[in-house]
Short mmCIF file of all heavy atoms in Angstrom, two decimals:
data_model
loop_
_atom_site.label_atom_id
_atom_site.label_comp_id
_atom_site.label_asym_id
_atom_site.label_seq_id
_atom_site.Cartn_x
_atom_site.Cartn_y
_atom_site.Cartn_z
N ALA J 146 23.35 154.63 44.20
CA ALA J 146 23.72 153.23 44.45
C ALA J 146 23.86 152.46 43.15
O ALA J 146 24.80 151.67 42.97
CB ALA J 146 22.68 152.57 45.36
N ALA J 147 22.94 152.69 42.20
CA ALA J 147 23.01 152.00 40.91
C ALA J 147 24.26 152.40 40.15
O ALA J 147 24.93 151.56 39.52
CB ALA J 147 21.76 152.31 40.09
N LEU J 148 24.62 153.69 40.21
CA LEU J 148 25.79 154.15 39.47
C LEU J 148 27.09 153.72 40.12
O LEU J 148 28.10 153.54 39.42
CB LEU J 148 25.73 155.66 39.30
CG LEU J 148 24.65 156.12 38.31
CD1 LEU J 148 24.52 157.63 38.31
CD2 LEU J 148 24.96 155.61 36.90
N GLU J 149 27.09 153.54 41.41
CA GLU J 149 28.28 152.98 42.05
C GLU J 149 28.55 151.58 41.51
O GLU J 149 29.71 151.21 41.23
CB GLU J 149 28.10 152.95 43.57
CG GLU J 149 28.17 154.33 44.21
CD GLU J 149 27.69 154.33 45.65
OE1 GLU J 149 27.49 153.22 46.20
OE2 GLU J 149 27.52 155.41 46.22
N ARG J 150 27.49 150.80 41.33
CA ARG J 150 27.66 149.46 40.76
C ARG J 150 28.11 149.54 39.30
O ARG J 150 28.94 148.73 38.84
CB ARG J 150 26.35 148.68 40.87
CG ARG J 150 25.93 148.38 42.31
CD ARG J 150 24.78 147.40 42.36
NE ARG J 150 23.54 147.93 41.80
CZ ARG J 150 22.65 148.62 42.51
NH1 ARG J 150 22.85 148.87 43.80
NH2 ARG J 150 21.54 149.06 41.93
N THR J 151 27.59 150.53 38.57
CA THR J 151 27.98 150.72 37.17
C THR J 151 29.47 151.03 37.07
O THR J 151 30.19 150.46 36.23
CB THR J 151 27.16 151.85 36.54
OG1 THR J 151 25.78 151.50 36.55
CG2 THR J 151 27.61 152.11 35.11
N VAL J 152 29.96 151.94 37.90
CA VAL J 152 31.38 152.31 37.86
C VAL J 152 32.25 151.12 38.22
O VAL J 152 33.30 150.89 37.59
CB VAL J 152 31.65 153.50 38.80
CG1 VAL J 152 33.15 153.72 38.99
CG2 VAL J 152 31.01 154.77 38.25
N THR J 153 31.85 150.35 39.20
CA THR J 153 32.62 149.16 39.57
C THR J 153 32.73 148.19 38.39
O THR J 153 33.82 147.67 38.10
CB THR J 153 31.95 148.45 40.77
OG1 THR J 153 31.97 149.33 41.90
CG2 THR J 153 32.69 147.17 41.12
N ALA J 154 31.62 147.98 37.69
CA ALA J 154 31.62 147.07 36.54
C ALA J 154 32.47 147.62 35.39
O ALA J 154 33.23 146.88 34.76
CB ALA J 154 30.19 146.82 36.08
N LEU J 155 32.35 148.93 35.12
CA LEU J 155 33.14 149.53 34.04
C LEU J 155 34.63 149.49 34.36
O LEU J 155 35.46 149.24 33.47
CB LEU J 155 32.69 150.97 33.81
CG LEU J 155 31.32 151.16 33.15
CD1 LEU J 155 30.99 152.65 33.07
CD2 LEU J 155 31.29 150.54 31.77
N ALA J 156 34.98 149.76 35.60
CA ALA J 156 36.40 149.76 35.99
C ALA J 156 37.01 148.38 35.79
O ALA J 156 38.19 148.25 35.41
CB ALA J 156 36.54 150.21 37.44
N ALA J 157 36.22 147.34 36.02
CA ALA J 157 36.73 145.98 35.85
C ALA J 157 37.06 145.68 34.40
O ALA J 157 37.93 144.84 34.12
CB ALA J 157 35.70 144.98 36.38
N GLU J 158 36.40 146.37 33.46
CA GLU J 158 36.64 146.15 32.03
C GLU J 158 37.53 147.23 31.41
O GLU J 158 37.97 147.08 30.27
CB GLU J 158 35.29 146.13 31.29
CG GLU J 158 34.34 145.04 31.75
CD GLU J 158 34.84 143.65 31.44
OE1 GLU J 158 35.57 143.50 30.43
OE2 GLU J 158 34.53 142.71 32.20
N SER J 159 37.78 148.31 32.13
CA SER J 159 38.55 149.43 31.59
C SER J 159 40.03 149.06 31.46
O SER J 159 40.58 148.37 32.32
CB SER J 159 38.41 150.64 32.52
OG SER J 159 39.25 151.70 32.11
#
Side-chain angles (χ1 to χ4, degrees):
L148 288 173
E149 287 168 10
R150 295 191 294 272
T151 298
V152 169
T153 297
L155 289 176
E158 300 294 331
S159 174

